[in-house]
Amino acid sequence: MAMAKANNKTHCFTCNKEKITYPCRGCSKEFCLIHLTEHQQMLNEELNHIINDCDQFKQTINEQKQNPQSLQKLSLINQINQWETNSIEIIQQKAQNCRETVSTSSEIFINDIEIKFNDLSEQIKQIHSENEFNEINLNYLRNQLIKITEELYNPSKISIKEDSQPFINEISIISSKKEQKPKWDKWNQNAITVAGGNEKGEGLNQLDHPEGMFIDRKNNLFIADNLNHRIVEWKYNAKQGQIIAGGNGKGSQMDQLSCPTDVIVDEQTHSIIIADFENRRVIQWLNQNQQILVENIDCRGLAIDKHGYLYVSDWVKNEVRRWKMGEYNEGVIVAGGNGKGYKLKQLNFPNFIFVDEDQSVYVTDENNHRVMKWKKNAREGTIAAGGNGQGGNLKQLNHPQGVVVDDLGQIYVADFQNHRVMRWCEGKNEGEIVVGGYSGENQSNQLNGLCGLSFDDEGNLYVVEGNLYVVDHSNHRIQKFEIIS
């Protein structure tokens, strides 16, 4: 409230007497000095009421938090319980009707069989009494008996049909809270070949069963060209690649590689780090100079986090270890390490890995047909995708390979033997097909045994930028699926 002395006498709003008055800016009314004080007191009392109401509301919130059986929750749960009761009654009534129908139909069916059998029996009696029959008559009687017997034990006239339309009312919970939506929701199902695709071979425009892949901030591709025993870089929009590591034949010398499975680029040092699979080593190439970082490791997948830690999956020890760059001692186990198995603390052939900004490790647990998430310092993992046995339905994976997680926590998986990329949203018990899923051939909408997986701008590890890149292993090419905006 602000006050200003009046120049002229006016009528006080409260006593209606002509006095020197003062305006209240809040209500735009004039008050004499006595009633202005009263007005202020009224306003103070109203403020105190508001403060008391806020305190009571705060207490109510605390009570709601401490009491899981809040009125709103109980009301909604009661509605759900009522829906459940009504639906069960409908189902039970439907089941009872069907049971009664089955009983009635079975009686009619048995009676029909009995009539046929009685008719056959009369024919047998007649033939037997007349004593005039031959092989044709016997074959006829035998076939009729077989026919009636099969009809009795295979009652094809009675079966159960399930309608696709529900006969109970579906319910769901609707929240007014705005949900965070994916930035991208659909990719062009016909891909563009951005590397290889010229049949299997060792030419600079060819690949031979590529596996891992890395994309830098300029969208240059670095490819673990597995059976060519080399790492090739394909510049953005290039027609052929250039060898940046290996390419000197299969071998274990420092300038050679043997079936590399994955590659990452440390953009701080501009070095190439390679999972040199058959040589059982992680090796770094920097300007054609080589350095072994980790020896005697059955390495498959690689990852580097925003803090510069290196992660390597070991498919024999069934674990993922982490090293601080430049300090390659024993490393720290961050996933698995409890022997081969299917328990939540175990892995069975860990393959590709992804590390998010919280240093949670996502690893494709290939022979368990699932993706596991191990939070930092966790003693066991959680199933992030798959885990419902080997198969091709939306709840299953079949030898998963590459994995990427976007900033919404959505998990993208290269589903190797199902020839598709799956997206699993957190909390869902099944995934959805993003691209592929057709027979494993080489058309632009098809994939054949996909391995590595990435999005544009791999340097920004935690954001899906748009275009999806897939290592199409058995088609010897890298496919780019463009986002539909």
Side-chain angles (χ1 to χ4, degrees):
M1 176 184 297
M3 296 174 290
K5 186 174 181 181
N7 293 324
N8 299 313
K9 291 185 178 182
T10 56
H11 291 279
C12 171
F13 177 79
T14 302
C15 65
N16 202 26
K17 293 180 180 179
E18 190 172 352
K19 294 182 178 181
I20 296 175
T21 59
Y22 304 87
C24 172
R25 288 187 180 179
C27 62
S28 301
K29 294 172 184 175
E30 300 278 344
F31 298 91
C32 66
L33 187 58
I34 295 174
H35 291 112
L36 178 64
T37 304
E38 290 181 359
H39 186 62
Q40 287 177 315
Q41 290 175 347
M42 290 174 59
L43 294 179
N44 284 331
E45 290 176 3
E46 189 173 348
L47 175 62
N48 289 331
H49 282 308
I50 293 173
I51 292 172
N52 288 335
D53 290 342
C54 286
D55 290 339
Q56 289 180 5
F57 188 75
K58 182 178 180 181
Q59 184 178 352
T60 302
I61 290 176
N62 290 333
E63 289 173 355
Q64 294 273 1
K65 288 169 65 177
Q66 294 173 4
N67 178 20
Q69 303 298 329
S70 65
L71 292 177
Q72 181 186 24
K73 187 184 295 183
L74 283 173
S75 174
L76 292 173
I77 289 176
N78 286 337
Q79 292 178 54
I80 294 170
N81 291 342
Q82 188 60 53
W83 170 85
E84 181 184 30
T85 300
N86 294 341
S87 299
I88 289 172
E89 288 176 359
I90 293 171
I91 292 170
Q92 288 175 336
Q93 186 60 52
K94 183 70 175 177
Q96 182 59 30
N97 292 342
C98 288
R99 280 190 285 266
E100 291 173 359
T101 302
V102 166
S103 297
T104 304
S105 299
S106 295
E107 291 176 7
I108 295 172
F109 173 74
I110 294 297
N111 290 338
D112 185 46
I113 292 290
E114 189 176 23
I115 290 170
K116 292 179 181 179
F117 177 72
N118 290 337
D119 183 54
L120 180 61
S121 296
E122 287 299 322
Q123 293 181 53
I124 293 173
K125 287 180 182 179
Q126 184 177 354
I127 290 174
H128 187 266
S129 63
E130 293 176 355
N131 202 27
E132 289 185 5
F133 54 89
N134 54 33
E135 289 84 355
I136 295 174
N137 302 116
L138 295 178
N139 285 336
Y140 168 77
L141 294 174
R142 185 180 293 105
N143 289 335
Q144 285 297 105
L145 182 59
I146 291 172
K147 184 177 178 181
I148 296 173
T149 303
E150 288 178 349
E151 192 174 347
L152 177 64
Y153 290 106
N154 297 286
S156 58
K157 292 182 180 179
I158 303 176
S159 62
I160 293 176
K161 175 187 175 185
E162 290 191 35
D163 292 329
S164 60
Q165 296 296 323
F167 67 94
I168 60 172
N169 293 326
E170 182 63 80
I171 66 167
S172 59
I173 305 300
I174 300 173
S175 173
S176 59
K177 181 180 178 182
K178 185 177 180 182
E179 294 183 359
Q180 193 176 21
K181 298 292 183 183
K183 294 179 180 177
W184 311 108
D185 200 39
K186 193 173 182 181
W187 285 263
N188 193 324
Q189 296 299 296
N190 292 297
I192 301 168
T193 300
V194 293
N198 298 300
E199 298 185 346
K200 178 176 67 174
E202 58 183 19
L204 291 179
N205 67 340
Q206 294 177 304
L207 299 169
D208 190 350
H209 291 90
E211 293 205 6
M213 166 187 61
F214 185 93
I215 304 177
D216 70 10
R217 297 184 182 184
K218 297 179 181 179
N219 289 344
N220 300 318
L221 296 174
F222 298 80
I223 305 163
D225 193 6
N226 185 265
L227 294 187
N228 279 327
H229 315 292
R230 65 190 185 186
I231 306 298
V232 290
E233 178 185 4
W234 286 61
K235 298 287 187 181
Y236 182 63
N237 284 337
K239 300 299 180 184
Q240 64 180 30
Q242 60 187 54
I243 300 171
I244 59 171
N248 299 305
K250 180 180 181 180
S252 58
Q253 297 180 25
M254 289 296 287
D255 65 345
Q256 292 179 308
L257 299 171
S258 184
C259 296
T261 54
D262 205 2
V263 57
I264 55 176
V265 178
D266 183 358
E267 297 191 67
Q268 292 183 346
T269 62
H270 303 288
S271 64
I272 313 300
I273 300 173
I274 305 160
D276 193 6
F277 177 65
E278 289 193 354
N279 284 327
R280 303 182 64 248
R281 65 190 183 187
V282 176
I283 189 167
Q284 182 182 57
W285 283 58
L286 177 60
N287 298 324
Q288 294 300 312
N289 295 316
Q290 302 87 32
Q291 177 187 357
I292 296 174
L293 303 183
V294 185
E295 293 184 284
N296 300 318
I297 181 169
D298 294 284
C299 50
R300 290 289 297 182
L302 304 173
I304 187 170
D305 69 16
K306 66 179 183 180
H307 303 290
Y309 285 94
L310 174 67
Y311 299 73
V312 185
S313 62
D314 187 322
W315 69 276
V316 173
K317 291 183 178 178
N318 293 290
E319 65 185 23
V320 178
R321 284 185 182 262
R322 182 186 72 198
W323 287 267
K324 186 176 182 180
M325 284 292 193
E327 298 179 10
Y328 301 106
N329 43 29
E330 289 187 4
V332 177
I333 295 175
V334 293
N338 298 298
K340 180 169 70 174
Y342 60 87
K343 296 179 181 178
L344 293 179
K345 66 178 182 179
Q346 295 178 307
L347 299 168
N348 187 352
F349 203 104
N351 206 326
F352 288 87
I353 49 182
F354 181 89
V355 183
D356 69 13
E357 57 184 355
D358 297 321
Q359 292 184 304
S360 293
V361 177
Y362 295 80
V363 52
T364 47
D365 190 10
E366 183 176 343
N367 287 347
N368 282 326
H369 312 289
R370 65 189 184 185
V371 176
M372 297 298 293
K373 177 182 179 180
W374 286 66
K375 292 184 178 180
K376 187 178 179 181
N377 300 324
R379 294 183 178 274
E380 64 179 27
T382 58
I383 298 173
N388 296 300
Q390 179 181 8
N393 65 38
L394 294 180
K395 293 184 178 182
Q396 296 177 307
L397 298 170
N398 194 341
H399 292 282
Q401 302 285 314
V403 59
V404 178
V405 182
D406 69 14
D407 57 342
L408 300 179
Q410 298 178 125
I411 303 157
Y412 297 78
V413 188
D415 195 5
F416 183 82
Q417 289 191 2
N418 286 323
H419 316 296
R420 65 191 183 184
V421 176
M422 299 289 290
R423 176 169 61 190
W424 289 67
C425 299
E426 190 170 357
K428 299 290 185 181
N429 62 358
E430 66 177 32
E432 58 184 339
I433 299 173
V434 173
V435 294
Y438 307 101
S439 59
E441 297 181 12
N442 63 359
Q443 299 300 310
S444 62
N445 67 339
Q446 295 173 318
L447 299 165
N448 190 356
L450 56 160
C451 283
L453 196 64
S454 189
F455 289 98
D456 284 344
D457 193 1
E458 179 88 341
N460 189 354
L461 285 175
Y462 312 110
V463 180
V464 173
E465 293 295 330
N467 300 315
L468 174 64
Y469 292 75
V470 180
V471 178
D472 195 5
H473 176 75
S474 298
N475 281 327
H476 319 290
R477 64 188 183 183
I478 309 299
Q479 296 293 87
K480 173 184 176 182
F481 292 88
E482 295 186 323
I483 191 69
I484 299 173
S485 57

